[in-house]
Amino acid sequence: MRWILLATVALAAFAVAASVQAEPVQEFSFELKNVKADGRFTVVYTQRSYDTTGVVPTQPNEFHLRLPAGAKLRKEFLTKRVFCDVRKLDRTRDPRSCRRSQVGTGRVLVDARPFITDQIPADLWLFLAKRTVRKAVASLAILGKQDQSAPVVRNIPVVRDFRAPIVFMNLFDEPTKDGRYGYKLAFGNSPNGGGATSFYIAETHVVNRGFTLEKRRAICLIARRGRCVRKKVQRRKLFWFTPPKCPASGKVSFEAFFGYQSLPDSVETTELSCPHFRR
């Protein structure tokens, strides 16, 4: 069975008081597919940022997503044994060093104008890791590496040799009063937040497949004189996230927040019909 739910959110354009008005636009889409009977599912996330006037878009100083209520990390995954060793990942720059905690892959196009005209392609790897800020539940550690086969990378030494830092998105268990949202997913450090930078993420495409763990439980089949003489081990595979709750409306909601210094903040939502998850 294959369920594909696609929702595209076009965020409103904002005008700045100037002779030429800047009109930044953020476009997003979410696709939910490959929903399995054992609870696994794949999320495909895409984003495109641009300005209708052709200039580099105004960068948000804060960005976070709110996930629908009920979608939570299982407690079995919140251990040091499962988390990615981020120090090792940063030292080796090899995604295989955290293979068991990898949740997804992606690709971005970086806009570095006015310094570099062509967009710079880079590959992404996402891993489950421990939190980087207080009160968070855990984080997603994101490793980015520029595509060395692209001419803009290969022919410009400063681009070719650039070592991007590990970027973190922290998960906070902060349910809203209306019961629509549970987790908040926010950057702990981001190339688009916390001050001016010389580049902007123009396009993002991420495929998040998650991962599973095997949970074992011993059951006593035969006991004699208070001792178990024959046991059976039950094995159960757990997917890293629990599915969201389906409200009476039959739709789950996602919310995106963009905070700007020079423009009004933007809060946008999108709704998807509930898939038939097995809890």
Side-chain angles (χ1 to χ4, degrees):
M1 183 178 296
R2 176 186 175 90
W3 293 83
I4 300 181
L5 306 175
L6 182 63
T8 301
V9 182
L11 303 184
F14 300 100
V16 178
S19 57
V20 178
Q21 291 184 332
E23 296 183 354
V25 177
Q26 304 279 0
E27 294 179 349
F28 293 87
S29 68
F30 291 87
E31 184 182 0
L32 188 61
K33 63 180 185 180
N34 298 333
V35 178
K36 306 295 184 180
D38 60 3
R40 291 174 293 157
F41 56 92
T42 298
V43 177
V44 179
Y45 169 76
T46 60
Q47 173 187 349
R48 182 169 176 249
S49 303
Y50 63 94
D51 193 290
T52 58
T53 65
V55 301
V56 178
T58 302
Q59 299 188 44
N61 289 81
E62 183 182 352
F63 166 71
H64 67 250
L65 292 170
R66 285 198 175 275
L67 307 183
K72 299 183 67 173
L73 273 167
R74 296 185 186 273
K75 63 181 181 179
E76 290 86 356
F77 290 76
L78 300 177
T79 67
K80 184 178 180 180
R81 181 178 63 87
V82 176
F83 289 154
C84 170
D85 183 344
V86 177
R87 290 185 178 180
K88 182 179 180 181
L89 178 67
D90 189 43
R91 183 178 67 254
T92 64
R93 312 296 291 181
D94 186 350
R96 292 174 297 181
S97 64
C98 280
R99 181 170 46 198
R100 66 173 296 156
S101 56
Q102 183 174 331
V103 298
T105 57
R107 191 168 174 87
V108 296
L109 292 177
V110 177
D111 187 342
R113 292 177 296 166
F115 307 104
I116 300 172
T117 302
D118 295 337
Q119 292 184 335
I120 303 169
D123 295 309
L124 303 178
W125 293 265
L126 288 75
F127 308 91
L128 182 63
K130 67 179 182 180
R131 65 187 184 185
T132 64
V133 295
R134 198 166 61 91
K135 295 185 179 180
V137 175
S139 74
L140 297 181
I142 306 173
L143 170 66
K145 299 171 70 174
Q146 55 272 47
D147 184 350
Q148 297 291 334
S149 67
V152 67
V153 177
R154 185 175 62 246
N155 299 332
I156 304 177
V158 69
V159 177
R160 182 191 63 218
D161 301 331
F162 178 71
R163 182 185 174 94
I166 304 292
V167 175
F168 296 91
M169 293 194 74
N170 283 277
L171 285 156
F172 299 87
D173 192 3
E174 297 182 0
T176 55
K177 293 181 179 180
D178 59 10
R180 297 179 69 185
Y181 306 110
Y183 276 177
K184 181 175 77 172
L185 183 60
F187 277 109
N189 64 313
S190 164
N192 286 349
T197 60
S198 58
F199 61 90
Y200 191 89
I201 305 299
E203 293 186 20
T204 303
H205 181 80
V206 173
V207 179
N208 192 322
R209 296 183 177 86
F211 65 108
T212 59
L213 291 178
E214 184 178 75
K215 184 177 181 180
R216 300 180 182 183
R217 186 178 67 164
I219 299 177
C220 184
L221 298 179
I222 300 176
R224 293 175 183 169
R225 298 178 181 179
R227 294 182 59 189
C228 184
V229 295
R230 185 177 179 184
K231 297 180 180 179
K232 178 182 178 181
V233 177
Q234 285 188 337
R235 291 178 172 86
R236 180 189 175 195
K237 288 188 176 181
L238 297 176
F239 190 59
W240 74 312
F241 249 81
T242 60
K245 297 177 181 178
C246 188
S249 64
K251 295 183 177 182
V252 292
S253 179
F254 296 81
E255 181 181 274
F257 172 85
F258 293 85
Y260 295 91
Q261 279 188 337
S262 58
L263 298 172
D265 294 341
S266 172
V267 179
E268 297 294 329
T269 61
T270 183
E271 291 185 331
L272 305 175
S273 297
C274 296
H276 294 282
F277 283 119
R278 172 187 168 186
R279 298 198 67 84

